[in-house]
Amino acid sequence: MSNLPLLRVIRFSAEIMLYGATIVSWKSPSERLFELHGPLPLPCAMARKPVRGGIPVVFLFGPPAHPEHAKLPQHGFARSSNWSWDNIIKEEGDHVSVTLTLDPTPSITAVYKRQFHLRFVVTLGENDIATELFVQNTSASTEYPPDFLEFQALFHNYVLAPANEVLVTPLQNLFYFDKTESTEEGKSTAKAEKRAGVDVRKFTDSVYENAPGSYEVTWPGGGVAIKTTNLKDVVVWNPAETGSKMGDMEQGGWEKFVCVEPGHVRGYERVAPGLTWVGKQVISVIHNARRHQ
Ligand code: TA6
């Protein structure tokens, strides 16, 4: 019996680029949840453009609105910076964690003067993937008032799904800000979400404030659950045909994904010198996804 070939059940694998600390693939032999279309987006790194797809890490969200963020690109510098490899840890059972870090480089300091240390931890489990962003204020100031680090953070999840059939729950009765009307901070009006299941059949760019923190993204035959810690808001985005104006989106690419992005993006988190904030999400596959009508 001992010469029987070892049967190894390979479940999920993930690919993470040091560039942007972007998860560019999370898949199993039967499920593709966060796989980019086509070859790895290496040209992004050459052009210092963020990766379009996977799970980009957003540190400082949207068009810059904070005085300290005035020179930053949309969605900040983390997703278009080269992160450093820290370590890999095989945890109990079949979990494995990879840690990447980012500290101020000359190109970052040229546009952002604050002192910080970012740690991004990706943990791969049998049926789930977790991402944690640790934001440390490394200011040595002992002045009063404290030299707070003010920031926003978000995981920009591109979930592979048929955009015309996907639904996001539970968002009913929440207030959201509709950025399809105005992207200027504070200019879009708050609307009450009336739908039991939010669809993205048309151009959608909604910022839900003080959301429940746990979501289901479902479509006929599939789905993922997203459970978060310390991420009070969630964004639902799909460009629909406006995606045809995006140079790095393939024709019709908008039909193949929905972005469900947990974060802290309404207002700013504040961390005092020496302290660290952490935001986390755990994404798991829903095998027999029930449909919310
Ligand atoms: O998260 C939604 C959003 O802020 C949209 O407004 C849209 O700009 C999207 O992000 C993509 O942004 P990007 O900078 O990656 O093109």
Side-chain angles (χ1 to χ4, degrees):
M1 285 295 281
S2 63
N3 62 357
L4 279 178
L6 174 68
L7 174 64
R8 291 191 65 227
V9 178
I10 297 176
R11 290 286 299 156
F12 282 84
S13 66
E15 290 178 79
I16 309 160
M17 290 179 75
L18 288 176
Y19 178 71
T22 303
I23 295 169
V24 291
S25 166
W26 175 51
K27 60 184 177 183
S28 77
S30 54
E31 292 120 333
R32 294 167 51 244
L33 285 309
F34 285 93
E35 194 177 28
L36 295 189
H37 307 299
L40 276 182
L42 298 180
C44 296
M46 312 305 276
R48 302 203 66 73
K49 278 179 59 64
V51 174
R52 174 74 62 202
I55 306 182
V57 177
V58 171
F59 175 63
L60 314 175
F61 177 77
H66 189 290
E68 294 176 350
H69 307 162
K71 294 183 181 172
L72 295 181
Q74 151 111 324
H75 291 341
F77 51 78
R79 63 175 187 164
S80 51
S81 293
N82 291 315
W83 288 59
S84 300
W85 171 268
D86 186 63
N87 66 14
I88 184 166
I89 302 170
K90 174 124 178 59
E91 300 185 339
E92 75 288 343
D94 54 3
H95 285 68
V96 62
S97 283
V98 164
T99 299
L100 306 180
T101 60
L102 182 66
D103 295 291
T105 60
S107 59
I108 291 174
T109 306
V111 293
Y112 182 66
K113 303 301 179 196
R114 300 308 308 250
Q115 297 168 302
F116 67 89
H117 173 70
L118 301 185
R119 214 155 35 93
F120 183 58
V121 182
V122 180
T123 302
L124 191 60
E126 185 179 359
N127 265 315
D128 56 33
I129 188 166
T131 65
E132 293 173 278
L133 181 64
F134 295 80
V135 180
Q136 182 184 7
N137 180 351
T138 53
S139 165
S141 166
T142 55
E143 301 292 313
Y144 185 86
D147 183 22
F148 284 109
L149 179 67
E150 294 192 333
F151 65 93
Q152 298 164 328
L154 167 136
F155 298 123
H156 206 296
N157 302 324
Y158 283 76
V159 181
L160 292 188
N164 286 332
E165 298 179 279
V166 72
L167 292 175
V168 185
T169 58
L171 299 174
Q172 194 169 27
N173 302 325
L174 292 179
F175 280 102
Y176 69 96
F177 294 86
D178 182 351
K179 286 175 59 180
T180 62
E181 289 173 356
S182 164
T183 56
E184 276 184 70
E185 184 68 17
K187 289 277 192 298
S188 45
T189 51
K191 298 178 179 177
E193 180 54 73
K194 297 184 171 56
R195 296 168 290 179
V198 169
D199 66 75
V200 289
R201 293 191 186 92
K202 65 180 177 60
F203 176 28
T204 302
D205 193 356
S206 305
V207 182
Y208 294 82
E209 191 169 19
N210 300 321
S214 289
Y215 313 100
E216 288 196 352
V217 186
T218 58
W219 56 91
V224 293
I226 303 175
K227 295 194 182 335
T228 72
T229 307
N230 213 19
L231 298 173
K232 70 176 180 69
D233 308 321
V234 66
V235 178
V236 178
W237 175 67
N238 184 289
E241 282 69 22
T242 68
S244 59
K245 301 189 190 85
M246 303 172 86
D248 56 357
M249 184 166 295
E250 59 181 324
Q251 186 55 28
W254 52 86
E255 294 163 0
K256 302 174 183 174
F257 73 87
V258 60
C259 278
V260 180
E261 314 158 25
H264 184 122
V265 295
R266 290 286 302 174
Y268 295 92
E269 273 289 1
R270 304 178 84 205
V271 175
L275 299 186
T276 299
W277 171 89
V278 57
K280 179 177 182 178
Q281 67 174 350
V282 181
I283 303 173
S284 54
V285 178
I286 306 175
H287 290 293
N288 51 352
R290 59 190 182 284
R291 296 286 292 152
H292 297 266
Q293 295 308 337

Coordinates of all heavy atoms in Angstrom, one line a residue, residues 11-56:
R11 N -6.1 22.9 -3.5 CA -7.3 23.7 -3.6 C -7.0 25.0 -4.2 O -6.8 25.1 -5.4 CB -7.9 23.8 -2.2 CG -8.5 22.6 -1.6 CD -9.8 22.2 -2.3 NE -10.8 23.3 -2.0 CZ -11.9 23.5 -2.8 NH1 -12.0 22.7 -3.9 NH2 -12.8 24.4 -2.5
F12 N -6.8 26.0 -3.4 CA -6.7 27.3 -3.9 C -5.2 27.7 -4.0 O -4.4 27.3 -3.2 CB -7.4 28.3 -3.1 CG -8.9 28.3 -3.3 CD1 -9.7 27.4 -2.7 CD2 -9.5 29.2 -4.2 CE1 -11.1 27.4 -3.0 CE2 -10.8 29.2 -4.5 CZ -11.6 28.3 -3.9
S13 N -4.9 28.6 -5.0 CA -3.6 29.2 -5.1 C -3.8 30.7 -5.3 O -4.9 31.1 -5.7 CB -2.9 28.6 -6.3 OG -3.6 29.0 -7.5
A14 N -2.8 31.4 -4.9 CA -2.9 32.9 -5.1 C -1.6 33.4 -5.7 O -0.5 32.8 -5.4 CB -3.2 33.6 -3.8
E15 N -1.7 34.4 -6.5 CA -0.4 35.1 -7.0 C -0.5 36.5 -6.6 O -1.5 37.2 -6.7 CB -0.4 35.0 -8.5 CG -0.1 33.6 -9.1 CD -0.2 33.6 -10.6 OE1 0.9 34.0 -11.2 OE2 -1.2 33.2 -11.2
I16 N 0.6 37.0 -6.0 CA 0.7 38.3 -5.5 C 1.9 39.0 -6.1 O 3.0 38.5 -6.1 CB 0.9 38.4 -3.9 CG1 -0.2 37.5 -3.2 CG2 0.8 39.8 -3.4 CD1 0.2 37.0 -1.8
M17 N 1.7 40.2 -6.7 CA 2.8 41.0 -7.2 C 3.4 41.8 -6.1 O 2.7 42.4 -5.3 CB 2.3 41.8 -8.4 CG 1.9 41.1 -9.6 SD 1.3 42.2 -10.9 CE 2.9 42.9 -11.5
L18 N 4.8 41.9 -6.1 CA 5.4 42.9 -5.2 C 5.0 44.3 -5.6 O 4.8 45.2 -4.8 CB 6.9 42.7 -5.2 CG 7.5 41.5 -4.5 CD1 9.0 41.5 -4.7 CD2 7.1 41.4 -3.0
Y19 N 4.7 44.4 -6.9 CA 4.3 45.7 -7.4 C 2.8 46.0 -7.0 O 1.9 45.3 -7.3 CB 4.4 45.8 -8.9 CG 3.9 47.1 -9.5 CD1 4.7 48.2 -9.4 CD2 2.7 47.2 -10.2 CE1 4.2 49.5 -9.9 CE2 2.2 48.4 -10.7 CZ 3.0 49.5 -10.6 OH 2.6 50.7 -11.1
G20 N 2.7 47.0 -6.1 CA 1.3 47.3 -5.6 C 0.8 46.4 -4.6 O -0.4 46.5 -4.1
A21 N 1.6 45.3 -4.2 CA 1.1 44.3 -3.3 C -0.2 43.8 -3.8 O -1.2 43.4 -3.0 CB 1.0 44.8 -1.9
T22 N -0.4 43.7 -5.1 CA -1.7 43.3 -5.7 C -1.8 41.8 -5.9 O -0.9 41.2 -6.5 CB -1.8 44.0 -7.1 OG1 -1.6 45.4 -6.9 CG2 -3.2 43.7 -7.7
I23 N -2.9 41.3 -5.3 CA -3.2 39.9 -5.6 C -3.8 39.8 -7.0 O -4.8 40.4 -7.3 CB -4.2 39.4 -4.5 CG1 -3.6 39.4 -3.1 CG2 -4.7 38.0 -4.9 CD1 -4.6 39.2 -2.0
V24 N -3.1 39.1 -7.9 CA -3.5 39.1 -9.3 C -4.2 37.8 -9.6 O -4.7 37.6 -10.8 CB -2.4 39.3 -10.3 CG1 -1.9 40.8 -10.1 CG2 -1.2 38.3 -10.0
S25 N -4.3 36.9 -8.7 CA -5.0 35.6 -9.0 C -5.3 34.9 -7.6 O -4.5 34.9 -6.7 CB -4.2 34.7 -9.8 OG -4.7 33.4 -9.8
W26 N -6.6 34.5 -7.5 CA -7.0 33.6 -6.4 C -7.9 32.6 -7.1 O -9.0 33.0 -7.5 CB -7.6 34.3 -5.3 CG -8.2 33.4 -4.2 CD1 -7.4 32.4 -3.6 CD2 -9.5 33.4 -3.7 NE1 -8.2 31.8 -2.7 CE2 -9.5 32.3 -2.7 CE3 -10.7 34.1 -3.9 CZ2 -10.6 32.0 -2.0 CZ3 -11.8 33.8 -3.2 CH2 -11.8 32.7 -2.2
K27 N -7.5 31.3 -7.2 CA -8.3 30.4 -7.9 C -8.0 29.0 -7.4 O -7.1 28.7 -6.7 CB -8.0 30.5 -9.4 CG -6.5 30.2 -9.8 CD -6.2 30.4 -11.2 CE -4.7 30.2 -11.5 NZ -4.4 30.4 -12.9
S28 N -9.0 28.1 -7.8 CA -8.8 26.7 -7.5 C -9.0 26.0 -8.9 O -9.4 26.7 -9.9 CB -9.8 26.2 -6.6 OG -11.1 26.0 -7.3
P29 N -8.7 24.7 -9.0 CA -8.9 24.0 -10.3 C -10.4 24.2 -10.9 O -10.6 24.2 -12.0 CB -8.7 22.5 -10.0 CG -7.8 22.6 -8.8 CD -8.2 23.8 -8.0
S30 N -11.3 24.5 -9.9 CA -12.7 24.6 -10.5 C -13.3 26.1 -10.3 O -14.3 26.3 -10.8 CB -13.6 23.7 -9.7 OG -13.5 24.0 -8.3
E31 N -12.6 26.9 -9.6 CA -13.1 28.3 -9.4 C -12.1 29.3 -9.7 O -11.0 29.2 -9.3 CB -13.6 28.5 -8.0 CG -14.8 27.7 -7.6 CD -14.5 26.7 -6.4 OE1 -13.3 26.4 -6.2 OE2 -15.4 26.4 -5.7
R32 N -12.4 30.3 -10.5 CA -11.5 31.5 -10.7 C -12.2 32.7 -10.2 O -13.2 33.2 -10.7 CB -11.3 31.7 -12.2 CG -10.6 30.6 -12.9 CD -10.7 30.7 -14.4 NE -10.3 32.0 -14.9 CZ -11.2 32.8 -15.6 NH1 -12.4 32.4 -15.8 NH2 -10.8 33.9 -16.0
L33 N -11.7 33.2 -9.0 CA -12.4 34.3 -8.4 C -11.8 35.7 -8.6 O -12.4 36.7 -8.8 CB -12.4 34.1 -6.9 CG -13.4 33.0 -6.3 CD1 -14.8 33.3 -6.8 CD2 -13.0 31.6 -6.6
F34 N -10.5 35.7 -8.7 CA -9.8 37.0 -8.8 C -8.7 36.9 -9.8 O -7.5 37.2 -9.5 CB -9.2 37.5 -7.5 CG -10.2 38.0 -6.5 CD1 -10.8 37.1 -5.6 CD2 -10.7 39.3 -6.6 CE1 -11.8 37.6 -4.7 CE2 -11.7 39.7 -5.7 CZ -12.2 38.9 -4.8
E35 N -9.0 36.3 -11.0 CA -7.9 36.1 -11.9 C -7.9 37.3 -13.0 O -9.0 37.6 -13.4 CB -8.1 34.8 -12.7 CG -6.8 34.4 -13.4 CD -7.0 33.0 -14.0 OE1 -8.1 32.7 -14.4 OE2 -5.9 32.3 -14.2
L36 N -6.8 37.9 -13.2 CA -6.8 38.9 -14.2 C -7.1 38.3 -15.6 O -6.7 37.1 -15.8 CB -5.4 39.6 -14.3 CG -5.0 40.3 -13.0 CD1 -3.7 41.1 -13.3 CD2 -6.1 41.3 -12.6
H37 N -7.6 39.1 -16.5 CA -7.7 38.6 -17.9 C -6.4 38.6 -18.5 O -5.7 39.6 -18.5 CB -8.7 39.4 -18.6 CG -10.0 39.6 -17.9 ND1 -10.8 38.5 -17.6 CD2 -10.6 40.6 -17.3 CE1 -11.8 38.9 -16.9 NE2 -11.8 40.2 -16.7
G38 N -6.0 37.6 -19.2 CA -4.8 37.7 -20.0 C -3.5 37.6 -19.2 O -3.6 37.3 -18.0
P39 N -2.4 38.0 -19.8 CA -1.1 37.8 -19.2 C -1.0 38.7 -18.0 O -1.7 39.7 -17.8 CB -0.1 38.2 -20.3 CG -0.9 39.1 -21.2 CD -2.3 38.6 -21.2
L40 N 0.0 38.4 -17.1 CA 0.3 39.2 -15.9 C 0.5 40.7 -16.4 O 1.2 40.9 -17.4 CB 1.5 38.7 -15.2 CG 1.2 37.6 -14.2 CD1 2.5 37.2 -13.5 CD2 0.1 38.0 -13.2
P41 N 0.0 41.6 -15.7 CA 0.1 43.0 -16.2 C 1.4 43.7 -15.9 O 1.6 44.7 -15.3 CB -1.0 43.7 -15.3 CG -1.0 42.9 -14.1 CD -0.6 41.5 -14.4
L42 N 2.5 43.0 -16.4 CA 3.8 43.5 -16.1 C 4.0 45.0 -16.7 O 4.6 45.8 -16.1 CB 4.9 42.6 -16.7 CG 4.9 41.2 -16.0 CD1 5.9 40.3 -16.5 CD2 5.0 41.4 -14.5
P43 N 3.4 45.3 -17.9 CA 3.5 46.6 -18.4 C 3.1 47.7 -17.4 O 3.6 48.8 -17.4 CB 2.6 46.7 -19.7 CG 2.5 45.2 -20.1 CD 2.6 44.5 -18.8
C44 N 2.1 47.3 -16.5 CA 1.7 48.3 -15.5 C 2.9 48.8 -14.7 O 3.1 49.9 -14.4 CB 0.7 47.7 -14.5 SG -0.8 47.1 -15.2
A45 N 3.7 47.8 -14.3 CA 4.8 48.1 -13.4 C 5.8 49.0 -14.1 O 6.4 49.9 -13.6 CB 5.5 46.8 -12.9
M46 N 6.0 48.7 -15.5 CA 6.9 49.5 -16.2 C 6.4 51.0 -16.3 O 7.1 51.9 -16.2 CB 7.1 49.0 -17.7 CG 7.3 47.5 -17.7 SD 8.7 47.0 -16.8 CE 10.0 47.3 -17.9
A47 N 5.0 51.1 -16.5 CA 4.5 52.4 -16.7 C 4.1 53.0 -15.4 O 3.5 54.1 -15.3 CB 3.2 52.3 -17.6
R48 N 4.3 52.3 -14.3 CA 3.9 52.7 -12.9 C 2.4 53.0 -12.9 O 2.0 53.9 -12.2 CB 4.7 53.9 -12.5 CG 6.2 53.7 -12.4 CD 6.9 54.6 -11.5 NE 6.6 54.4 -10.1 CZ 7.0 53.3 -9.4 NH1 7.7 52.4 -10.0 NH2 6.6 53.2 -8.1
K49 N 1.7 52.2 -13.7 CA 0.2 52.3 -13.6 C -0.3 51.2 -12.7 O 0.3 50.1 -12.6 CB -0.4 52.1 -15.0 CG -0.4 53.4 -15.8 CD -1.0 53.1 -17.2 CE -2.4 52.7 -17.1 NZ -3.3 53.7 -16.5
P50 N -1.3 51.4 -11.9 CA -1.9 50.4 -11.0 C -2.4 49.2 -11.9 O -2.8 49.4 -13.0 CB -3.0 51.1 -10.2 CG -3.3 52.3 -11.0 CD -2.1 52.7 -11.8
V51 N -2.4 48.0 -11.3 CA -3.0 46.9 -12.0 C -4.5 47.0 -12.0 O -5.1 47.4 -11.0 CB -2.6 45.6 -11.2 CG1 -3.3 44.4 -11.8 CG2 -1.1 45.4 -11.1
R52 N -5.0 46.7 -13.2 CA -6.5 46.8 -13.4 C -7.1 45.4 -13.1 O -7.1 44.5 -14.0 CB -6.9 47.2 -14.8 CG -8.3 47.2 -15.1 CD -9.1 48.2 -14.4 NE -8.7 49.6 -14.9 CZ -9.0 50.7 -14.2 NH1 -9.5 50.6 -13.0 NH2 -8.6 51.9 -14.6
G53 N -7.4 45.1 -11.9 CA -8.0 43.8 -11.6 C -7.4 43.2 -10.3 O -6.5 43.8 -9.7
G54 N -7.9 42.0 -10.0 CA -7.3 41.3 -8.8 C -7.8 42.1 -7.5 O -9.0 42.5 -7.4
I55 N -6.9 42.3 -6.6 CA -7.2 43.0 -5.3 C -6.1 44.1 -5.1 O -5.2 43.9 -4.4 CB -7.3 42.1 -4.1 CG1 -8.2 40.9 -4.3 CG2 -7.7 42.9 -2.9 CD1 -8.4 40.0 -3.2
P56 N -6.3 45.2 -5.8 CA -5.3 46.3 -5.5 C -5.5 46.9 -4.1 O -6.7 46.8 -3.5 CB -5.7 47.4 -6.5 CG -6.5 46.7 -7.6 CD -7.1 45.5 -6.9

